[in-house]
Amino acid sequence: VYFTGGTLQSITGATSFDYLPVNNNNSVILNNNVLVNQTLALTSGKINVGVNTLTIGAGGDITGYSSANFIVTNSTGVLQRNAVGATVKWFPVGYGNPATNYTPLTIVNNGTARDLSVRSTSPPQNPVTDNTRIVNVQWDVTSSGSGAIVDASFNWNSANQAVSYNVSGNGELGNYTTGPNYAITNIGTMGGQSKSVSGIALSSGSNKLVLGNTNAVYVAPPANDLCANASTLVPNAAAVQGTTVAATASSPFPSDIDVWYKFTAPCTA
């Protein structure tokens, strides 16, 4: 089956293909899940998966992907590749309306081979500490089980960088699984619109991955962020240093972040 021409086309009905060539610059829409056993050939145009899963079989591959030809993941749909192991696999995904944000991910899995599905979207689903210093993309990688240890290369566009993001600054990778916070990995100097990160341990299920400058994705609040955890000050002792980085606001002043201290005033006759 060939999808060619210049008008929008769709695939309806649970379908599997050995070869699926797409040569339609007005794109193809999936109305259901689709399996490609051998080759998905993106000669021209995009595939919009909607809420569905486009699966590439364990022995299959994708060709022809580029910033003009990729898988659009604007909704909850994903690109899945089965039995991902130690051979590099491309996930040529992107998003937008129109779909101009090509944000592909490459993965090599040095751990247990797993089915991996990927979608990219913006902004990140879970709050970050400083949304002005991140790459404003979330790569949602879902693993069919535990044990996947991946080397991943993230790619994005300069337009995806938040206003104060430092392209040559130090960076971190946040992985949000079950919450309540991101797990942070320091990843060294950023550079350009691509970053390779080694040894990412994927949890079974969803791994929401976000890149940013150091302390931008997640910083734990100070220990004395809450009144109940106020730090004790000793009168006439040495000065105490503190920070309000990542501190939260307290009622009744929801617009003002704060940290808390307490002391007992000495009483002398």
Side-chain angles (χ1 to χ4, degrees):
V1 177
Y2 291 81
F3 288 87
T4 64
T7 59
L8 187 66
Q9 296 174 300
S10 63
I11 301 176
T12 301
T15 307
S16 63
F17 301 89
D18 280 335
Y19 299 92
L20 180 59
V22 174
N23 187 7
N24 183 337
N25 58 15
N26 262 326
S27 301
V28 174
I29 296 176
L30 300 192
N31 291 327
N32 49 260
N33 297 335
V34 167
L35 168 65
V36 179
N37 291 305
Q38 298 296 329
T39 302
L40 170 63
L42 297 173
T43 302
S44 177
K46 304 174 180 70
I47 297 179
N48 191 327
V49 295
V51 299
N52 305 293
T53 300
L54 173 59
T55 301
I56 309 299
D61 205 357
I62 307 173
T63 64
Y65 46 81
S66 70
S67 59
N69 310 325
F70 60 88
I71 311 304
V72 180
T73 58
N74 280 345
S75 186
T76 57
V78 296
L79 170 62
Q80 176 172 307
R81 303 200 67 162
N82 287 347
V84 176
T87 301
V88 62
K89 298 295 184 183
W90 274 82
F91 291 82
V93 297
Y95 64 92
N97 188 16
T100 56
N101 291 283
Y102 180 50
T103 49
L105 183 68
T106 68
I107 289 178
V108 175
N109 180 11
N110 299 305
T112 305
R114 296 297 185 191
D115 300 342
L116 300 179
S117 63
V118 173
R119 63 185 287 261
S120 65
T121 188
S122 180
Q125 180 179 346
N126 301 99
V128 299
T129 296
D130 185 351
N131 62 10
T132 70
R133 298 192 301 117
I134 65 168
V135 176
N136 201 24
V137 178
Q138 174 181 287
W139 289 269
D140 195 347
V141 181
T142 300
S143 175
S144 62
S146 60
I149 309 294
V150 306
D151 299 340
S153 179
F154 301 83
N155 301 274
W156 63 92
N157 310 294
S158 59
N160 302 129
Q161 296 164 184
V163 61
S164 297
Y165 172 78
N166 185 348
V167 70
S168 59
N170 288 330
E172 64 186 17
L173 170 69
N175 183 358
Y176 192 99
T177 53
T178 58
N181 303 312
Y182 288 91
I184 295 297
T185 301
N186 293 320
I187 56 176
T189 304
M190 307 298 283
Q193 283 74 52
S194 180
K195 182 63 181 179
S196 295
V197 182
S198 299
I200 304 170
L202 297 180
S203 297
S204 179
S206 176
N207 299 262
K208 297 178 175 64
L209 306 178
V210 178
L211 297 171
N213 293 134
T214 300
N215 294 337
V217 179
Y218 177 71
V219 179
N224 58 339
D225 182 46
L226 303 177
C227 179
N229 299 325
S231 297
T232 299
L233 299 177
V234 178
N236 301 317
V240 173
Q241 291 186 338
T243 180
T244 58
V245 174
T248 58
S250 302
S251 177
F253 307 106
S255 62
D256 297 318
I257 63 173
D258 53 42
V259 291
W260 292 81
Y261 295 89
K262 63 182 179 180
F263 70 95
T264 300
C267 179
T268 59

Short mmCIF file of all heavy atoms in Angstrom, two decimals, residues 47 57 89 235 238:
data_model
loop_
_atom_site.label_atom_id
_atom_site.label_comp_id
_atom_site.label_asym_id
_atom_site.label_seq_id
_atom_site.Cartn_x
_atom_site.Cartn_y
_atom_site.Cartn_z
N ILE A 47 3.24 11.79 9.36
CA ILE A 47 2.16 10.93 9.85
C ILE A 47 1.72 11.49 11.21
O ILE A 47 2.53 11.58 12.14
CB ILE A 47 2.58 9.47 10.00
CG1 ILE A 47 2.97 8.88 8.65
CG2 ILE A 47 1.46 8.64 10.63
CD1 ILE A 47 3.43 7.43 8.71
N GLY A 57 7.88 -2.91 14.06
CA GLY A 57 8.21 -4.23 14.57
C GLY A 57 9.68 -4.37 14.92
O GLY A 57 10.52 -3.56 14.52
N LYS A 89 18.37 3.30 17.57
CA LYS A 89 17.04 3.42 16.98
C LYS A 89 16.63 4.90 16.98
O LYS A 89 16.76 5.60 17.99
CB LYS A 89 16.00 2.61 17.77
CG LYS A 89 16.26 1.11 17.78
CD LYS A 89 16.14 0.49 16.41
CE LYS A 89 16.32 -1.01 16.46
NZ LYS A 89 16.27 -1.62 15.11
N PRO A 235 20.99 33.23 69.55
CA PRO A 235 21.37 34.65 69.75
C PRO A 235 22.86 34.78 70.06
O PRO A 235 23.45 33.97 70.78
CB PRO A 235 20.51 35.08 70.93
CG PRO A 235 19.32 34.18 70.88
CD PRO A 235 19.85 32.85 70.41
N ALA A 238 27.41 32.95 65.58
CA ALA A 238 27.87 33.37 64.25
C ALA A 238 26.69 33.52 63.30
O ALA A 238 25.63 32.91 63.47
CB ALA A 238 28.86 32.34 63.71
#
